Amino acid sequence: MKTNKIPFAFLFAASLSCLLALSARATWTYDSSAKTLTDGNWMFTATASGDDLTLSKATAGSGVLDFTTCEADCGKRVTTVGGSLFYNNKSVTLTEFIGPDVTIVNTMAFFGTPVTRIRLSSALQQLNGNDPVGSLRSLTEFYPTVM
């Protein structure tokens, strides 16, 4: 029986490239004078109240939006998704929203997005106003489960 041997250098290079890809995540930064939150892909108009951020407008971004490291990166945590944050915004393409500290979602925040998964804080307090998740036909998962 013939066995194929994979050169050590190839295995080392492949492992290293996987590690670099994992560590190359974007870092969230908050500019208090410009009132912007960005990770280089996503950009938002945001206002701070202490360590808490309220997002009021999405200005750029595509793909998965993950705020898991926001507090560790910039000392602020996203707690409120403002009304009409993504409302029919053609300059953003949101596929998944991960907001582990989000406790408030306002009117039509996700309206008009192709988002399939929304994961918020288990301490979710409010889904405010008219249709906070915008009658999302593409939505397959929403956490926490709410009535």
Side-chain angles (χ1 to χ4, degrees):
M1 174 184 265
K2 182 179 178 183
T3 60
N4 291 329
K5 293 184 179 181
I6 300 173
F8 174 77
F10 175 78
L11 288 174
F12 178 76
S15 297
L16 183 60
S17 68
C18 287
L19 287 173
L20 290 174
L22 289 174
S23 67
R25 70 166 183 82
T27 301
W28 288 103
T29 57
Y30 178 66
D31 182 332
S32 59
S33 60
K35 295 186 179 177
T36 57
L37 177 69
T38 186
D39 72 348
N41 174 27
W42 291 97
M43 180 176 275
F44 298 91
T45 302
T47 53
S49 176
D51 293 338
D52 297 344
L53 289 175
T54 296
L55 304 180
S56 56
K57 183 177 181 183
T59 56
S62 64
V64 175
L65 175 55
D66 187 350
F67 291 113
T68 302
T69 63
C70 190
E71 186 173 19
D73 291 345
C74 70
K76 305 282 185 199
R77 59 193 185 137
V78 175
T79 57
T80 303
V81 176
S84 303
L85 180 66
F86 296 103
Y87 183 79
N88 286 337
N89 188 334
K90 304 302 181 207
S91 65
V92 299
T93 305
L94 177 66
T95 58
E96 184 175 347
F97 183 94
I98 304 166
D101 298 309
V102 172
T103 57
I104 299 170
V105 178
N106 288 307
T107 301
M108 299 175 78
F110 295 97
F111 187 84
T113 67
V115 66
T116 58
R117 296 177 68 202
I118 297 175
R119 297 191 58 79
L120 307 173
S121 170
S122 59
L124 181 66
Q125 298 169 4
Q126 298 174 30
L127 291 173
N128 292 329
N130 179 30
D131 210 4
V133 291
S135 301
L136 299 171
R137 293 187 178 128
S138 59
L139 194 63
T140 60
E141 180 184 338
F142 186 91
Y143 177 85
T145 304
V146 294
M147 299 301 278

